[in-house]
Amino acid sequence: MTGDNGTAEFAWRPPKTIQDLADSGCSDLIPELVAAFTSDVADRLKKARQAVASDDMALFRAQMHTMKGSAMQMGAAEMAALCRQIEETGATLSAAQYEAHLAAVTALFERTHRAMAAYLHQHS
Amino acid sequence: MKILIADDNPVFQKVLSEMLTQWGYAVVVAADGEQAWEHLQSADAPRLAILDWMMPGMDGVEICRRVRERDGGLYQYLMILTSRTGVHDLVAALEAGADDFVTKPFQSVELRARLRAGCRILGLHDQLQQLQPA
């Protein structure tokens, strides 16, 4: 199955830590965490765009660092890997390169969000 | 036992809050370093804190440093929770005064075991305090 731009969609399921927690009596936990993750990443991407516009690359990498952590905890492995790669690239990239990285993370986040939404729909 | 969770990320705030509550701990949450520092200085301060390293305001390692620089008061067990994985990061956190260092993403069984270890340390510290001459 491919997305609108031809890229392959992927499936998402909660990692064991979160699934175990939900199974222990927090039935609304997974939808709440998806909502929190989605909202936080959207905010971080906005800050990352502002960082690129103001040439604050330390702030840009800080957003990648934080998104990496929550993506890992949420089982969004592809997004975590991309954020890690960008974070570790270093401080010598041009603004255009940072913008390209930001576009890539944004696109991957949108695919991740669709995958999470599909999971919630299947398990509602 | 009251535990402070200090993390600006709502995913970790939620996951940790639910976990710790299920395990029987009382939880307070701080969304940035300044809030965390206020909680740790309060009259009814948590004895154990899980601190994210990178937070707005004061970071988790700086909080550890400030807690250890204080004179008096009950010992507070400080655990850094971070996606930083380098040995230098670990050393920096421990040298600043952290008692433990847990990497993200964390496994619940590991975190639970480390919290129990922290509670044991606090219990031993309290016993030692009681043995001190008045």
Side-chain angles (χ1 to χ4, degrees), chain B residues 47 72-75 122-134:
Chain B
R47 296 293 307 280
L74 294 174
Y75 190 81
L122 288 173
L124 288 169
H125 187 272
D126 291 347
Q127 287 179 36
L128 190 61
Q129 286 287 97
Q130 288 170 6
L131 293 173
Q132 298 292 324

Side-chain angles (χ1 to χ4, degrees), chain A residues 17 21 24 26 29 32-33 36-37 40 44 65-66 68-70 72-74, chain B residues 8-12 14-15 18-19 22 54 82-84 104-108:
Chain A
T17 297
L21 198 53
S24 299
C26 308
L29 180 67
E32 287 176 6
L33 283 177
F37 174 73
D40 187 66
R44 304 266 172 205
H65 174 85
T66 302
K68 173 191 70 180
S70 55
M72 284 195 290
Q73 197 69 43
M74 290 294 290
Chain B
D8 64 326
N9 191 307
V11 169
F12 287 102
K14 183 70 176 173
V15 170
E18 290 292 342
M19 266 184 197
Q22 280 195 12
M54 291 178 69
T82 179
S83 51
R84 294 188 181 203
K104 295 176 178 178
F106 59 88
Q107 301 286 332
S108 59

